[in-house]
Amino acid sequence: MARVKPTRFEFLPVQLVRPCETVAYRITEAIGAGDVKVGERLPSEKDLSSQLGVSRPTLREAVKLLVGAGIVQVVAGSSGGTFVTSDAIPPQLAGPPLPELPAPDIESVLEARRLFEPHLARLAATYATPADFERMRSAVALSESVSNRFRGRKLSADAAHRMTLASTRFNMAIARATHNAVILKMMEIMLRRMEPVRLAAVRHLADPAISTRTLVNSLAAIESGDPQLIDRATAERIGQLEAAWENAIGKPLRRRPLLQAAGGGEAGVASPAPPGGPR
């Protein structure tokens, strides 16, 4: 057989994940989404291991990881249990490792969001249930509570985290409202990719109420079911994040044109909004 040169393709390193880490990700996912709240007690070890489909030893190792990160606390005694103490999820416990993404490629993530979210918001407006809208309102309320406390002054590190968490929960609530599991997973990955950008942007807001206002406007638009209002509100949120990132890197983002839709507009593109905040 003739000698064949090896392929030039370079394989990316494999990032192995232990079973206990996968269990921890499932728990932090519920905490981050607001399904499990700070102060609540997790199910008993027997019940939780059954729900997750894992052995008790694996669950115990996962709980150790969460305790070490300050996310849960284990209290002994008949009235004890495992209690959620924080929703500040560190990146290493936020989900399975994502492939490395060079900093310049954040533009690709932002471009994907610009194409993805307007259609997602329209779909959510069509299929959202009362429970979906309640999740959106809860996220807006969290943002309002923080922005009211820091009106006219710079956010603390904890407040910046909570503002970003409110935005995350709002976006996840919209994705859930589509009742499409693939869209939900795509949104989760996109938000994780943008987390450093969003957190940096919110910490430099002159007035955190700007960020809250974009959530309020988006909620009102989705509740109205008006496609034009939805597109406008979504464009405002996306544009503010893009403007913040452009200020941070000191140059404009890539905005590649698409085929022209009927009427002369670009199909599926949300126009950037004026600078303001990190949504």
Side-chain angles (χ1 to χ4, degrees):
M1 182 177 177
R3 296 187 64 179
V4 178
K5 293 182 179 180
T7 178
R8 294 182 179 180
F9 177 79
E10 293 187 12
F11 293 89
L12 294 175
V14 174
Q15 296 172 291
L16 299 179
V17 177
R18 295 178 294 160
C20 64
E21 292 173 327
T22 301
V23 173
Y25 300 151
R26 185 62 55 85
I27 296 172
T28 58
E29 179 182 57
I31 296 171
D35 297 321
V36 178
K37 298 176 175 57
V38 172
E40 288 189 334
R41 183 175 62 184
L42 295 180
S44 68
E45 183 182 272
K46 177 182 177 182
D47 290 343
L48 188 54
S49 62
S50 176
Q51 290 176 24
L52 292 168
V54 299
S55 67
R56 291 194 187 186
T58 296
L59 177 59
R60 290 179 195 135
E61 288 299 314
V63 171
K64 285 181 182 179
L65 292 175
L66 300 177
V67 169
I71 298 169
V72 304
Q73 179 182 11
V74 178
V75 179
S78 57
S79 60
T82 303
F83 294 85
V84 178
T85 55
S86 174
D87 50 20
I89 311 300
Q92 67 270 23
L93 290 179
L98 296 174
E100 291 295 327
L101 185 69
D105 283 354
I106 194 65
E107 288 192 340
S108 299
V109 182
L110 294 172
E111 181 179 62
R113 185 185 189 193
R114 198 182 314 135
L115 298 173
F116 176 61
E117 286 199 26
H119 303 289
L120 184 152
R122 289 191 183 201
L123 195 61
T126 303
Y127 296 106
T129 64
D132 292 321
F133 281 118
E134 185 53 38
R135 290 190 187 97
M136 294 180 212
R137 294 187 195 102
S138 177
V140 172
L142 174 59
S143 183
E144 287 176 332
S145 69
V146 177
S147 60
N148 287 340
R149 285 192 292 115
F150 285 84
R151 191 174 299 278
R153 58 195 179 99
K154 190 174 181 180
L155 294 169
S156 65
D158 180 67
H161 157 72
R162 299 203 68 74
M163 287 290 287
T164 305
L165 180 64
S167 176
T168 295
R169 289 180 177 176
F170 186 80
N171 281 289
M172 290 298 291
I174 293 175
R176 279 186 173 187
T178 67
H179 299 276
N180 182 311
V182 175
I183 287 176
L184 182 60
K185 182 55 65 175
M186 290 170 65
M187 175 61 79
E188 178 188 326
I189 293 173
M190 193 174 298
L191 290 173
R192 286 179 60 196
R193 284 294 196 197
M194 293 190 299
E195 184 74 9
V197 178
R198 294 161 64 236
L199 187 58
V202 77
R203 293 202 67 178
H204 290 86
L205 278 177
D207 183 356
I210 296 172
S211 176
T212 299
R213 186 180 66 240
T214 65
L215 298 187
V216 171
N217 292 345
S218 286
L219 175 58
I222 292 171
E223 288 180 320
S224 76
D226 185 318
Q228 291 186 337
L229 287 179
I230 291 170
D231 288 352
R232 191 177 306 127
T234 305
E236 178 189 22
R237 289 198 301 124
I238 294 173
Q240 286 181 346
L241 176 64
E242 291 184 343
W245 184 243
E246 286 175 330
N247 289 337
I249 63 176
K251 64 177 183 179
L253 287 166
R254 175 185 67 189
R255 288 183 174 85
R256 297 185 295 179
L258 299 179
L259 291 174
Q260 295 294 308
E266 286 186 355
V269 177
S271 300
R279 302 277 61 86

